[in-house]
Amino acid sequence: MMASDMASSTFPWLSLAIFVPILSGLLVLALGRDERPEFTRTLALVGAIAGLLVTIPLYTGFDPSTANMQFQELAPWIESFSVNYHLGIDGISLWFVLLTAFITVIVVIAGWEVITSRVAQYMGAFLILSGLMIGVFAAQDGMLFYIFFEATLIPMYIIIGVWGGPRRVYASVKFFLYTLLGSLLTLIAFIYLWHASGGSFEIQKWHDVQLAFQPQILIFLALFMAFAVKVPMWPVHTWLPDAHVEAPTGGSVVLAAIMLKLGAYGFLRFSLPIVPDASHSMAGFMIALSLIGVIYIGLVAIVQKDMKKLVAYSSVAHMGFVTLGMFVFNQTGLEGAIIQMISHGFVSGAMFLCIGVLYDRMHTREIADYGGVVNVMPRFVTFLVLFSMANSGLPGTSGFVGEFTVIMGAVEYNFWIGLLTASALITGAAYSLWLLKRVAFGPVTNDNVRNMQDINGREFLVLGVMALAVLFMGVYPKPFTEVMHVSVDALLQHVAVSKL
């Protein structure tokens, strides 16, 4: 079948991408038992792989020459309020659907031996969360988007609260309240847009609504409260380090690789196209917050003593590149922001997997408790070196592609802003290499490290797949960029036209 035929196909690929993992998760919850964990894990893995397989036709059948929504599905849902079950993807959202399905498989394999209690509930929560996050990226109805966006909180709240560390209840409640409170203002903005568009929740119709400047500013601020918390941007980032430190490894991977992208995606899908004049007016404010996040939070990361907290702060810094790239309003910056989101999914997810490998052996995340790990775990440290280099933006890795493209976009916008953005590469290298030096190199410092075993076949598979993704995107980013180019260009043209 040709790409254009596939793109216009009525086969519900997006519904399958959403509901295969959700139904698989429910099946795991129904049939899984702690008395037979191997069956439960196998069932979860089959569900995760099935969820990944049904997303592949979205890529193979995608037509990159058009900015129109593809693989659309439309059915009336709540007719009295004109709420529709409307799905579709474009070049901006395609890779996030694929990334979500891919990371879900990684997380299921990563938790294979580590999770020994409530295995069915753990695996089921991740599968359901996967489907809900794909729903966020595919929703073309505002209310449908909001329902998926809020529903993602529930599985992650449970994952942190049940399988997390000693302060898991505090961290899960803080995560839930921060993200929920911000989203309530978004609901008010959506209701206003429903009224302004003549009683429609269709996102594409909202893009064409003529709004005065003052309502645009108010809507921008309402959307900002939800999306900035989710990214998270400075100064509403404080929930993230706590959530990461207390979450199990799989929770940290999904949180960093996918959930943070929900907020950035919200800016792309709602803030920029619906309130373009307000977006331009608030660009200086957004760039300032992004630069603070990139530079200041990078410095905060350097002084961390907990490995997870260090990588959590580095996530905030890297996501600062994303929001900065969006608000310089040029093709290079915006494409760089999307590339950085995808790359961050690979790199930060891999870093948290590496920390999980160490924690499973030593049950500590304190950097001071390690040292000389390369002497006993050479295969593991090979991966850790690669991911640390990618985290610091080494050329040839995915981390370089995203950050360099955003910096070029920032220079195109304003040389001094580009220079400040580029300075973050120094702090990125500092905290990444400082972590690597203290954990991996030097003499073995204690007997606990001396007794550690190198990675097994399952861990090698997980880290190896992530390494291939990081290197492939770093060496050959074209498959990632070519699908988004036309959609990004259309978005920028739309945002450039004043609605006043």
Side-chain angles (χ1 to χ4, degrees), residues 259-306:
M259 288 200 76
L260 305 188
K261 313 306 181 295
L262 302 182
Y265 177 77
F267 281 122
L268 289 172
R269 189 62 76 209
F270 292 90
S271 302
L272 295 180
I274 294 174
V275 286
D277 297 303
S279 297
H280 278 286
S281 175
M282 300 294 286
F285 170 72
M286 296 296 292
I287 290 171
L289 293 186
S290 300
L291 283 173
I292 293 172
V294 167
I295 299 168
Y296 167 69
I297 299 300
L299 295 173
V300 172
I302 293 175
V303 301
Q304 297 306 311
K305 298 177 180 179
D306 183 300

Side-chain angles (χ1 to χ4, degrees), residues 107-422:
V107 164
V108 169
I109 300 173
W112 199 269
E113 297 168 0
V114 180
I115 303 300
T116 55
S117 65
R118 302 188 180 94
V119 178
Q121 290 83 351
Y122 179 86
M123 298 296 184
F126 276 110
L127 287 166
I128 293 169
L129 178 59
S130 174
L132 294 174
M133 291 188 297
I134 290 174
V136 172
F137 296 125
Q140 296 303 311
D141 180 277
M143 189 53 64
L144 185 65
F145 171 90
Y146 185 81
I147 290 169
F148 279 129
F149 190 80
E150 292 299 280
T152 59
L153 298 180
I154 301 168
M156 183 54 73
Y157 174 81
I158 294 170
I159 288 165
I160 298 172
V162 175
W163 292 277
R167 300 176 73 238
R168 58 186 179 272
V169 174
Y170 165 79
S172 59
V173 170
K174 187 175 182 180
F175 157 75
F176 192 88
L177 289 179
Y178 262 71
T179 47
L180 178 66
L181 290 174
S183 299
L184 293 177
L185 288 173
T186 299
L187 180 60
I188 296 171
F190 282 8
I191 293 171
Y192 180 90
L193 288 167
W194 173 83
H195 177 76
S197 61
S200 173
F201 278 108
E202 288 292 311
I203 296 172
Q204 292 300 314
K205 286 187 179 179
W206 288 357
H207 290 183
D208 298 322
V209 171
Q210 303 290 326
L211 294 173
F213 184 69
Q214 187 175 7
Q216 282 199 40
I217 290 289
L218 293 174
I219 290 172
F220 182 93
L221 293 174
L223 297 175
F224 171 83
M225 289 305 296
F227 301 147
V229 168
K230 205 81 163 185
V231 167
M233 297 181 70
W234 181 88
V236 288
H237 66 283
T238 56
W239 64 269
L240 184 67
D242 290 321
H244 270 312
V245 167
E246 299 304 323
T249 299
S252 291
V253 171
V254 169
L255 193 60
I258 311 296
M259 288 200 76
L260 305 188
K261 313 306 181 295
L262 302 182
Y265 177 77
F267 281 122
L268 289 172
R269 189 62 76 209
F270 292 90
S271 302
L272 295 180
I274 294 174
V275 286
D277 297 303
S279 297
H280 278 286
S281 175
M282 300 294 286
F285 170 72
M286 296 296 292
I287 290 171
L289 293 186
S290 300
L291 283 173
I292 293 172
V294 167
I295 299 168
Y296 167 69
I297 299 300
L299 295 173
V300 172
I302 293 175
V303 301
Q304 297 306 311
K305 298 177 180 179
D306 183 300
M307 289 187 290
K308 258 196 172 183
K309 195 164 272 193
L310 187 151
V311 178
Y313 279 115
S314 84
S315 282
V316 178
H318 286 123
M319 291 302 290
F321 277 92
V322 172
T323 47
L324 191 146
M326 291 178 187
F327 284 89
V328 296
F329 295 106
N330 57 52
Q331 186 96 18
T332 309
L334 192 50
E335 287 190 7
I338 300 171
I339 296 166
Q340 174 71 354
M341 281 195 273
I342 302 165
S343 167
H344 181 261
F346 294 140
V347 177
S348 66
M351 289 294 291
F352 281 115
L353 286 169
C354 286
I355 294 170
V357 168
L358 292 173
Y359 184 80
D360 293 340
R361 287 156 173 76
M362 291 270 288
H363 298 290
T364 175
R365 290 183 296 267
E366 291 295 315
I367 297 171
D369 293 335
Y370 293 88
V373 172
V374 69
N375 297 290
V376 292
M377 300 178 68
R379 291 200 301 170
F380 166 75
V381 170
T382 302
F383 287 116
L384 182 61
V385 168
L386 171 64
F387 298 135
S388 297
M389 295 298 179
N391 202 43
S392 59
L394 182 76
T397 65
S398 63
F400 174 77
V401 178
E403 292 182 8
F404 178 75
T405 313
V406 170
I407 290 168
M408 292 299 292
V411 168
E412 188 179 327
Y413 177 80
N414 180 285
F415 173 79
W416 297 107
I417 288 174
L419 183 64
L420 286 171
T421 308

